[in-house]
Amino acid sequence: MVLFLMVALVAVLRRRWVTCGVFIALGTLTWQPVFFTAVVAAGVAALLAPDHRVRAVVRVAIGGAVTTGVVLVYYAVNGALHTFFQDFLVINAEYTRQPNPFDNGYYIWANLKSGFG
């Protein structure tokens, strides 16, 4: 995941928009929160490009869509689309719970204080 994110960021620096989209998709397929960081970085870089802003954004989207499509086709060919959706979408929506700092702020503050002094 870190490798995919780093390659996507290097691709942003070199203005290789399709490559950036491919590696954003690969990073997202590895761990979904990568998407937000990488898309913001790529979006800002594409919008700050001196020319062809829309073309850059479209190329990032195409790279990501093609990569995601290839992965979906792979799962479909192997009869495992249900597994893909369970592992990619449902697990985060139904089975993952994150602590809310507003529910138990003292507990989180105590953990931060014990960890960092």
Side-chain angles (χ1 to χ4, degrees):
M1 178 268 312
V2 174
L3 176 66
F4 293 147
L5 180 59
M6 294 306 295
V7 171
L9 293 176
V10 168
V12 164
L13 289 174
R14 303 207 182 267
R15 300 191 195 283
R16 306 285 188 218
W17 303 116
V18 175
T19 304
C20 176
V22 167
F23 282 97
I24 288 174
L26 290 173
T28 302
L29 290 167
T30 306
W31 191 51
Q32 290 84 7
V34 168
F35 177 78
F36 302 109
T37 305
V39 164
V40 167
V44 168
L47 293 175
L48 291 177
D51 55 347
H52 307 295
R53 292 181 179 116
V54 175
R55 187 182 301 174
V57 171
V58 169
R59 287 181 179 180
V60 170
I62 288 172
V66 168
T67 303
T68 304
V70 167
V71 170
L72 283 172
V73 167
Y74 171 80
Y75 274 89
V77 166
N78 289 303
L81 269 179
H82 178 71
T83 302
F84 174 80
F85 287 112
Q86 286 289 320
D87 292 345
F88 189 72
L89 298 173
V90 176
I91 194 168
N92 292 320
E94 293 183 12
Y95 302 114
T96 303
R97 300 286 178 247
Q98 300 296 325
N100 185 348
F102 300 110
D103 289 343
N104 196 353
Y106 177 76
Y107 175 74
I108 293 174
W109 176 254
N111 280 338
L112 285 171
K113 191 173 179 182
S114 70
F116 296 105

